[in-house]
Amino acid sequence: MASTYRDLITAIPPSLNLSNVVETSPSRPCAACARFTPDRSRAKRLVVETEYELFDTFPDFPVLKASARSGCALCRLLRKGILSSWAIALRPMEQEGLGVLSTKDGVWDEFFDMPWDRKVRIFHAHFYLSTRNLREDERHPSEFVQKSIIRFGPANLPKEEDGWPYKRQIHQELEFKVFDSADTLKTEDSDDESYARRPPDSDALSECNTALMKEWISTCRNYHKACQPDASTKWLPTRLLEISSSSKFDVRLVETHALLSMHLECPVQFMALSHMWGDASISPPLRTLKSNYDRMKQGIPMRELPQNFVDTILVCRKLGVEYVWIDSLCIIQDSPEDWKREAVTMHLVYKYAQATIVAAAAKSSRDGFLVRNTRMTPAVKIAYPSESSGQANPWMILYPSSEESQRDFEYEDSQWNTRGWTFQERYLSTRLLYFCKNMLHFECRTCKCSEEGESAIFANPSNSLWPRAKLPTDTWFKIWSDMIIKYTMRKLTYGDDKLIAVQSIVNEMKEHVPGPYIEFAGVWQANIHKDLLWRPWAGIPTYPDNYRAPSWSWASTDGGVTFSSPTSRPNRQYGDALEVARFNEGVPAEIIVKAHTRRITSIVGIDPGDLFDVADMGEYQYDIFTDDLASSDGHQEPEVFAHGIPDRLNHDNILGKSAEFMYLHVCDSRQPSGLILKKQTLGANEGSLNREVWVRVGSARVFKDLGLQPIVNQGFEGQEKSEVIII
């Protein structure tokens, strides 16, 4: 692989950084920074306003520079942050409509057509407190300092009478994470360090982090009622990896039927790994195959394992767990029969694992997820006056905050969280340990925590994970829709996995809702009205080259979808709800329904310049015409009876007149209320040629925006339902 000059560049870490700041003695602040103190006695609504204010000059900031050289660590950090923010090509004042602030002279002069004296004000230095509950039933949560925000911007602006169009101060913000000495100690209500504030450790598996993970898991098992799977079930996967504590082998594949009888009194505990394989066509992870199955049972040397697997073994050893489940090793990868058998119970793997280890920092099985680089993050440790804290020799640690360092941003916005196969692993796991870049996180159905000791969120028991509570059927179907919306935003390497990769969610649903589930379409017959009324969302969808699912299924498209929303109760009935006659599996698969229909003569996109129509029609930007409605004088002039959304932008010639279109009414109670269908001609190999079949090309609504009034008064009263075949 060719080298570049960039390869010769080695970044030099700041002298004071996250890896060494904790052991460093606090530095004394300058006179200005001495006013920057987290005095909680002054807190109002969890905000501490300080008296800090400083004036400096752009672009070199000589005041901050001189103070930093005199030993003020905070001035050094502030100057570095301001210079960095000013230099990058962003719009720091974009909320005011202003352009980029640059070190190039004249930018402000050109923009405002008037001179700027380059005086900068650094002000509004506030501390923000947060609360946390140490136990689920705690009534009085404790407070801690979470962050600080400091503003900077032009000190002197033109006056309004001189042509300045803005009345308020413009500014940019620097945000720092804060660790106050009062919060870094063990709490009075707890004898562990689970909730003590501290910066990220330079070692992912340090003693502190290991104790923290054990405490998280133990607390969840013993106190979180909403998180517990069925305690009476002693379930194990068909195979697990046994982690050796001797020199006989490093790890080996074991069949678990023998373990169940050996551990009657003490059930086997195991972990599971969730990770990204990477490009399996170039460098697949180590896999169990028919040809190496016996060797895998004898033992697998650590040197043969990809780094994700090695790191997983190290985590398990630290936590004292002897068994782990890894997909590529515990399922025989070249056996379709074994794969199909194991896929049915995959949801139980994540349900009954003690925790799922998430390699969020790794983009392939080779990357690993334990190596950290905290040395490149600047940090300071500064003392502040004791009278403002009530403690002897108080101090605080600060380091620059970013989106990536927010509590759950690292795993919520990670590449791991964009993949289709990790979806069920995320939402069905009982507990998750996220190994992110320089940070460890924990999530269960009751709380979210990080190694920094940020707030443990005791939210509603369901949280964002799959609920374990008894819920009404309608609620379960709403959860199903929400899950499919999230799932369709993810990516799959192989599009044919679209329905397979959500099967574990389906298996969980089967315990709570009536069947049947139509596997070849991804819909529930008991929820068919809502499952039919999906529409593309968040971008233009694409469609697979080969057949994957019928046109009426959300799985037929690649890209995000959303589902219909309930409407207000219409003032009167427009039409009867669709009935399902039967489903026919095959290629193409069919749904045969009885429903009200209306012929479509044309579909016309509205003029985007007509603001009234745009506002009135919302997302449904197409007028749908019919000539089926007779006027009072007996003439049948085409008129608009519905507003619609094509699934594809004229891909099916939906705006032309060369095809036959039809509106099919699904129900009154949802928006959209029905489907736009196009007549389809079947080929010789696609079934009987004398049948009339239709494909879905869009969705439509016959009610106005609030769902109270129909677009035209003439509904389907007195009209017989037609039998329609949709493929």
Side-chain angles (χ1 to χ4, degrees):
M1 184 175 180
S3 298
T4 65
Y5 286 112
R6 186 177 297 275
D7 298 326
L8 302 176
I9 300 173
T10 301
I12 300 174
S15 57
L16 200 57
N17 55 65
L18 277 180
S19 70
N20 59 23
V21 70
V22 174
E23 290 76 21
T24 303
S25 298
S27 65
R28 308 305 302 180
C30 66
C33 293
R35 299 194 295 270
F36 181 65
T37 58
D39 186 352
R40 303 188 198 194
S41 66
R42 302 178 59 181
K44 295 180 180 180
R45 297 184 178 179
L46 299 178
V47 178
V48 177
E49 298 183 9
T50 74
E51 298 176 355
Y52 178 90
E53 186 178 53
L54 187 76
F55 292 88
D56 213 331
T57 305
F58 176 88
D60 197 43
F61 299 95
V63 176
L64 287 174
K65 186 175 184 178
S67 179
R69 285 180 173 175
S70 298
C72 182
L74 181 56
C75 282
R76 185 188 309 114
L77 190 65
L78 284 175
R79 184 172 182 270
K80 182 179 178 66
I82 293 174
L83 286 173
S84 176
S85 298
W86 224 301
I88 58 178
L90 295 175
R91 293 186 177 272
M93 314 304 179
E94 63 183 351
Q95 65 270 32
E96 304 295 345
L98 303 184
V100 179
L101 296 182
S102 169
T103 55
K104 294 180 180 179
D105 291 339
V107 169
W108 279 78
D109 302 342
E110 294 172 5
F111 190 85
F112 297 121
D113 197 25
M114 57 184 65
W116 172 47
D117 62 8
R118 278 147 174 84
K119 296 297 182 185
V120 176
R121 180 185 178 215
I122 307 168
F123 66 108
H124 189 84
H126 292 178
F127 290 94
Y128 293 83
L129 309 182
S130 187
T131 60
R132 57 187 170 186
N133 296 71
L134 303 186
R135 289 290 179 263
E136 195 170 1
D137 56 355
E138 188 174 352
R139 295 184 179 180
H140 303 290
S142 59
E143 295 179 355
F144 67 96
V145 182
Q146 183 178 33
K147 65 182 180 181
S148 175
I149 292 178
I150 302 176
R151 294 178 179 175
F152 64 93
N156 302 312
L157 294 174
K159 297 180 180 179
E160 193 172 358
E161 54 265 28
D162 295 329
W164 176 248
Y166 304 100
K167 295 182 179 180
R168 62 177 184 261
Q169 174 76 47
I170 64 172
H171 62 267
Q172 191 175 353
E173 293 182 345
L174 293 177
E175 182 175 322
F176 299 95
K177 287 201 170 185
V178 180
F179 301 85
D180 188 14
S181 56
D183 301 323
T184 60
L185 306 174
K186 294 181 182 179
T187 65
E188 295 179 359
D189 299 327
S190 177
D191 58 357
D192 61 69
E193 298 183 6
S194 300
Y195 303 98
R197 288 279 284 162
R198 60 181 175 87
D201 204 304
S202 58
D203 179 4
L205 294 181
S206 65
E207 290 186 10
C208 287
N209 278 356
T210 300
L212 195 57
M213 288 187 286
K214 289 180 178 179
E215 179 65 23
W216 283 337
I217 295 172
S218 175
T219 298
C220 181
R221 290 181 61 190
N222 295 325
Y223 297 104
H224 296 172
K225 295 179 181 179
C227 300
Q228 306 311 314
D230 185 0
S232 63
T233 302
K234 294 183 176 64
W235 185 89
L236 287 177
T238 304
R239 305 174 193 90
L240 286 170
L241 293 167
E242 182 182 5
I243 302 166
S244 176
S245 57
S246 66
S247 58
K248 293 182 179 179
F249 60 89
D250 290 328
V251 61
R252 68 180 177 185
L253 189 66
V254 295
E255 296 171 348
T256 60
H257 55 80
L259 295 177
L260 288 171
S261 58
M262 293 168 54
H263 295 78
L264 293 178
E265 298 299 325
C266 182
V268 173
Q269 295 184 359
F270 69 95
M271 306 288 278
L273 171 65
S274 177
H275 72 120
M276 294 170 57
W277 282 30
D279 191 340
S281 64
I282 297 176
S283 181
L286 181 65
R287 297 174 296 166
T288 294
L289 306 170
K290 295 176 183 177
S291 58
N292 66 6
Y293 186 75
D294 290 336
R295 184 173 68 84
M296 292 296 207
K297 291 200 296 181
Q298 294 172 4
I300 311 169
M302 289 283 274
R303 65 178 181 275
E304 294 185 13
L305 297 174
Q307 194 60 48
N308 278 1
F309 298 2
V310 172
D311 288 355
T312 299
I313 302 304
L314 296 176
V315 172
C316 290
R317 282 177 173 165
K318 280 283 189 178
L319 297 179
V321 179
E322 296 181 56
Y323 299 94
V324 65
W325 189 89
I326 298 176
D327 51 4
S328 69
L329 297 181
C330 294
I331 300 175
I332 303 174
Q333 296 296 309
D334 60 349
S335 170
E337 297 80 14
D338 190 70
W339 201 97
K340 185 175 182 179
R341 182 170 55 250
E342 295 303 305
V344 174
T345 61
M346 202 174 294
H347 65 295
L348 299 176
V349 171
Y350 301 101
K351 184 175 185 176
Y352 288 105
Q354 289 300 297
T356 299
I357 298 168
V358 178
K363 296 181 180 179
S364 76
S365 62
R366 304 179 302 278
D367 293 347
F369 54 85
L370 293 181
V371 175
R372 292 186 167 187
N373 187 13
T374 56
R375 296 171 63 242
M376 297 309 300
T377 303
V380 298
K381 187 176 186 180
I382 57 174
Y384 62 87
S386 58
E387 56 267 21
S388 65
S389 70
Q391 56 176 316
N393 304 316
W395 48 263
M396 58 182 167
I397 292 173
L398 297 91
Y399 78 88
S401 180
S402 63
E403 272 192 329
E404 290 78 8
S405 66
Q406 300 305 313
R407 176 169 47 225
D408 53 6
F409 182 93
E410 281 195 295
Y411 58 86
E412 291 287 3
D413 282 60
S414 66
Q415 191 170 337
W416 166 86
N417 206 38
T418 67
R419 306 305 302 174
W421 275 106
T422 63
F423 178 79
Q424 59 189 18
E425 299 163 11
R426 161 76 190 278
Y427 289 101
L428 297 183
S429 291
T430 295
R431 306 171 193 92
L432 299 110
L433 290 168
Y434 296 101
F435 286 84
C436 304
K437 178 184 177 183
N438 296 338
M439 187 73 74
L440 177 65
H441 297 266
F442 174 82
E443 182 182 25
C444 65
R445 280 155 186 76
T446 306
C447 69
K448 293 181 180 180
C449 308
S450 79
E451 70 177 272
E452 290 186 333
E454 288 192 336
S455 178
I457 307 173
F458 287 97
N460 295 326
S462 62
N463 204 350
S464 61
L465 304 182
W466 191 261
R468 297 268 168 84
K470 292 183 179 180
L471 300 170
T473 299
D474 287 349
T475 302
W476 281 112
F477 280 132
K478 183 181 184 307
I479 292 169
W480 165 259
S481 298
D482 292 342
M483 288 288 172
I484 296 302
I485 291 170
K486 294 175 183 176
Y487 173 66
T488 56
M489 298 296 291
R490 292 178 174 238
K491 299 175 181 142
L492 288 162
T493 302
Y494 304 105
D496 288 346
D497 290 344
K498 188 87 171 186
L499 289 168
I500 302 171
V502 79
Q503 188 61 41
S504 287
I505 300 288
V506 172
N507 292 336
E508 285 288 323
M509 277 287 290
K510 286 180 178 179
E511 299 179 11
H512 306 287
V513 300
Y517 172 72
I518 313 304
E519 291 192 10
F520 57 80
V523 301
W524 299 86
Q525 184 163 340
N527 194 46
I528 194 63
H529 293 157
K530 187 170 184 179
D531 280 354
L532 286 176
L533 294 175
W534 56 270
R535 66 182 188 276
W537 182 65
I540 299 174
T542 59
Y543 288 75
D545 294 332
N546 299 319
Y547 178 87
R548 182 171 67 208
S551 68
W552 42 272
S553 165
W554 57 266
S556 65
T557 177
D558 290 322
V561 304
T562 188
F563 288 88
S564 61
S565 56
T567 67
S568 303
R569 186 176 182 85
N571 291 340
R572 64 178 179 80
Q573 183 175 356
Y574 194 85
D576 295 328
L578 167 148
E579 301 173 69
V580 175
R582 63 187 180 276
F583 297 93
N584 290 333
E585 187 174 3
V587 178
E590 302 173 343
I591 181 174
I592 302 174
V593 301
K594 292 183 177 180
H596 294 304
T597 63
R598 182 165 285 164
R599 191 166 73 92
I600 295 174
T601 55
S602 63
I603 300 172
V604 180
I606 66 169
D607 182 358
D610 191 333
L611 298 180
F612 178 81
D613 278 353
V614 170
D616 184 56
M617 295 169 66
E619 299 173 281
Y620 302 82
Q621 300 286 302
Y622 292 81
D623 284 329
I624 301 179
F625 289 82
T626 186
D627 58 7
D628 279 355
L629 305 176
S631 61
S632 57
D633 60 2
H635 290 87
Q636 289 184 315
E637 294 292 333
E639 64 177 301
V640 176
F641 77 95
H643 298 148
I645 310 174
D647 290 343
R648 293 186 258 191
L649 296 178
N650 207 29
H651 183 87
D652 296 290
N653 194 28
I654 193 169
L655 303 184
K657 298 182 180 179
S658 60
E660 193 171 336
F661 295 99
M662 177 172 71
Y663 168 78
L664 180 134
H665 191 66
V666 176
C667 62
D668 286 357
S669 60
R670 309 205 72 85
Q671 297 266 39
S673 57
L675 305 179
I676 303 171
L677 304 180
K678 175 185 173 183
K679 193 172 182 179
Q680 179 78 18
T681 300
L682 293 179
N685 297 325
E686 296 179 293
S688 175
L689 296 179
N690 59 2
R691 293 192 311 155
E692 186 176 90
V693 298
W694 300 78
V695 295
R696 172 194 161 125
V697 293
S699 57
R701 67 181 189 188
V702 293
F703 290 93
K704 296 180 181 178
D705 194 29
L706 296 178
L708 295 172
Q709 294 289 340
I711 296 169
V712 296
N713 287 327
Q714 188 172 342
F716 294 106
E717 300 94 337
Q719 178 180 322
E720 293 292 328
K721 291 182 178 179
S722 303
E723 184 172 274
V724 180
I725 303 171
I726 315 172
I727 60 174

